[in-house]
Amino acid sequence: MALKITVIGTGYLGATHAAAMAELGFEVLGLDVVPEKIETLSRGEVPMYEPGLEELLRKHVAGLEGSTGRLRFTTSWQEVADFGDVHFVCVNTPQKHGEYACDMSYVESAFSSLAPLLRRPALVVGKSTVPVGSAARLARLLTGLAPAGEDVELAWNPEFLREGFAVEDTLHPDRIVVGVGGERAEKLLREVYATPIGEGSPFVVADYPTAELVKTAANSFLATKISFINAMAEVCEAADGDVVKLAEAIGHDERIGKKFLRAGVGFGGGCLPKDIRAFMARAGELGADQALTFLREVDSINMRRRAHMVELARESVGGSFLGQRVAVLGATFKPDSDDVRDSPALNVAGQIHLQGGQVTVYDPKGMDNARRLFPTLAYAPSALEACRGAHVVLHLTEWAEFRQLDPVAIADVVVEPRLLDGRNALDPAVWRAAGWTFRAMGRPQA
Ligand SMILES: NC(=O)c1ccc[n+]([C@@H]2O[C@H](COP(=O)([O-])OP(=O)(O)OC[C@H]3O[C@@H](n4cnc5c(N)ncnc54)[C@H](O)[C@@H]3O)[C@@H](O)[C@H]2O)c1
């Protein structure tokens, strides 16, 4: 009989995972502790923006016309425990308030709710990003609390999806990593992922700590690569060099590669910043803090980018934001997402607002989330409207829509045609030809 799958925590990761599991042919039951989320998902609607996800949900959510009916949602732990052969735990693991460490309370709570109800053999699979050592501890907790005892096993299967490509990445992962304590768990996970494995996705089997570390190591490497090029941008600005040319040239070396070498306002979002901090905190607890002190520098280079963007903006309007109108293009931490968690764009917008600037933000998908987080900023319904009356325009999230803007039309509505490109994604020649004073991070001023 086909395995029955549950997904616990239906946010960015869990909602995508649940829909993808249904697409792979499994019967799936999703659970969340927020009833509104469950109601929305049950109607086939996605509570966030992720390209292709709504279509996939509608294809499978039970009760919708023409759907396979393989995907349902609930708030009942009992129903989940009775239903599932494999339970994927996808709850959030944010940074603790006032500390670098990971807040494991949502994971602990999910395990404590599920485990006492597990009366039949099951595999619980953690997907959340957790500090190394968590899986071994949770495995003991699970067998201790579950009435089915040793028949309940734990595996850790970190997730590498990228927001904006979440559906594609989940259906066709570039690798599947599983930390297991035994052969049965490995066998079940090979069954769950038979389709992507059959298509050639590498399946890496490891022990718990290695699987946990793969995720934080991968994020640390990516964060380091971004901060590296941003450090080069700082030097380029000091030496009148061009970081875009530099990145292109070093990227030709296959050992370095072209990806993740775009200098700008740096990384943000719900993963990289908190993951590198939690990694440092955990290494400290393990007595290996020296090994990761470089991540402190990676973090501070990254945070410096935001402050530098504010400085460039202040400089461009004559040294003070008072009485100045600033248009901010972009609110999300990356394009093709509505996620504004720790977004550099909103952070910059907020800092300028606090320094007396009148900031108007426009984002193609992140407006509702941005408004909730920063209700005191002004919001406009289009890029053109955000720019109307502006003394300077800041390009802070690299949405394709912004690359298609007409510099001549925007020049007509601003007070001063000044543009700061915080993502090195716009063509300086085109904007300068339309009369703009164009400045980009790490590039020479014209
Ligand atoms: N978003 C990404 O791109 C991404 C990528 C890889 C890994 N991750 C990791 O995946 C995990 C989830 O991230 P996310 O971005 O989906 O977070 P999220 O905040 O969007 O979703 C988490 C969901 O879990 C629910 N939840 C909280 N406590 C619960 C509980 N006790 N029981 C059931 N549900 C509960 C929340 O209501 C929410 O819907 C994190 O550990 C994150 O680091 C995220």
Side-chain angles (χ1 to χ4, degrees):
M1 255 213 355
L3 294 171
K4 290 188 171 161
I5 288 179
T6 83
V7 175
I8 293 161
T10 54
Y12 284 93
L13 163 59
T16 312
H17 193 69
M21 287 293 119
E23 176 72 6
L24 292 180
F26 299 103
E27 274 196 59
V28 184
L29 184 59
L31 174 142
D32 204 283
V33 285
V34 178
E36 299 78 47
K37 245 182 211 184
I38 291 304
E39 284 160 25
T40 308
L41 288 164
S42 301
R43 290 195 301 268
E45 292 163 19
V46 184
M48 65 271 190
Y49 174 73
E50 183 59 50
L53 183 53
E54 190 137 314
E55 290 81 344
L56 202 63
L57 267 187
R58 286 184 181 280
K59 192 171 160 193
H60 297 296
V61 169
L64 299 184
E65 207 188 313
S67 85
T68 64
R70 288 200 287 263
L71 177 55
R72 291 183 299 114
F73 294 93
T74 183
T75 51
S76 161
W77 287 99
Q78 189 66 59
E79 200 184 343
V80 160
D82 293 344
F83 178 86
D85 301 303
V86 180
H87 303 278
F88 283 101
V89 179
C90 301
V91 303
N92 40 328
T93 49
Q95 187 176 337
K96 270 187 188 165
H97 282 294
E99 281 181 51
Y100 269 13
C102 171
D103 177 355
M104 284 289 285
S105 61
Y106 302 91
V107 175
E108 311 281 352
S109 160
F111 272 75
S112 313
S113 303
L114 178 69
L117 305 174
L118 293 173
R119 302 191 173 278
R120 65 189 191 84
L123 178 67
V124 178
V125 185
K127 283 195 87 60
S128 303
T129 305
V130 294
V132 59
S134 304
R137 182 172 52 79
L138 291 164
R140 287 191 295 274
L141 180 101
L142 203 56
T143 37
L145 287 179
E150 302 280 318
D151 282 341
V152 174
E153 273 187 70
L154 181 75
W156 217 266
N157 168 216
E159 178 58 54
F160 303 97
L161 69 80
R162 298 161 299 165
E163 282 177 27
F165 302 91
V167 170
E168 178 69 14
D169 287 350
T170 309
L171 289 173
H172 310 286
D174 55 10
R175 79 285 212 191
I176 299 159
V177 177
V178 298
V180 294
E183 277 174 21
R184 189 172 141 250
E186 180 186 336
K187 191 174 153 288
L188 279 170
L189 285 165
R190 281 189 187 276
E191 212 175 317
V192 170
Y193 290 118
T195 305
I197 293 171
E199 288 171 3
S201 292
F203 187 78
V204 181
V205 182
D207 52 27
Y208 292 147
T210 309
E212 292 167 316
L213 284 168
V214 168
K215 175 65 191 170
T216 36
N219 273 358
S220 300
F221 190 86
L222 296 173
T224 303
K225 208 168 173 192
I226 299 173
S227 278
F228 171 81
I229 201 64
N230 281 330
M232 294 306 109
E234 286 186 14
V235 180
C236 279
E237 274 186 27
D240 234 1
D242 183 345
V243 75
V244 173
K245 194 55 85 181
L246 180 147
E248 181 196 328
I250 63 172
H252 287 304
D253 184 332
E254 278 179 12
R255 294 168 303 175
I256 295 173
K258 287 188 188 314
K259 291 185 176 160
F260 263 51
L261 283 185
R262 198 197 290 270
V265 282
F267 58 81
C271 288
L272 288 194
K274 61 107 174 153
D275 286 350
I276 62 167
R277 291 174 195 152
F279 198 19
M280 283 186 269
R282 184 64 185 138
E285 287 168 9
L286 294 168
D289 44 341
Q290 258 193 328
L292 298 187
T293 43
F294 75 97
L295 286 179
R296 204 169 284 276
E297 200 49 47
V298 165
D299 198 8
S300 71
I301 292 168
N302 190 54
M303 298 311 282
R304 219 154 56 217
R305 302 308 286 165
R306 304 174 182 191
H308 185 51
M309 189 67 203
V310 175
E311 270 164 40
L312 290 178
R314 196 190 312 108
E315 206 178 281
S316 79
V317 295
S320 165
F321 286 119
L322 292 178
Q324 300 293 310
R325 284 186 295 275
V326 181
V328 167
L329 302 182
T332 54
F333 84 98
K334 68 186 298 192
D336 299 315
S337 171
D338 66 349
D339 195 344
V340 299
R341 289 179 286 187
D342 201 2
S343 163
L346 272 187
N347 183 300
V348 167
Q351 287 191 53
I352 294 175
H353 172 74
L354 289 175
Q355 291 180 28
Q358 294 168 44
V359 182
T360 306
V361 179
Y362 167 72
D363 188 279
K365 296 286 177 194
M367 300 287 271
D368 292 345
N369 286 340
R371 248 190 222 106
R372 265 194 293 276
L373 205 61
F374 282 91
T376 50
L377 299 175
Y379 294 89
S382 67
L384 190 81
E385 286 311 313
C387 293
R388 195 175 291 284
H391 296 98
V392 62
V393 176
L394 313 187
H395 174 244
L396 299 182
T397 311
E398 65 273 41
W399 285 93
E401 178 179 329
F402 299 147
R403 290 195 290 284
Q404 273 131 38
L405 289 174
D406 176 3
V408 176
I410 307 272
D412 272 351
V413 300
V414 296
V415 171
E416 293 287 344
R418 294 186 194 118
L419 186 98
L420 294 177
D421 186 2
R423 291 294 182 181
N424 274 313
L426 303 177
D427 185 345
V430 173
W431 287 80
R432 283 180 184 139
W436 286 77
T437 305
F438 183 100
R439 186 154 183 204
M441 296 182 102
R443 305 195 81 177
Q445 294 191 59

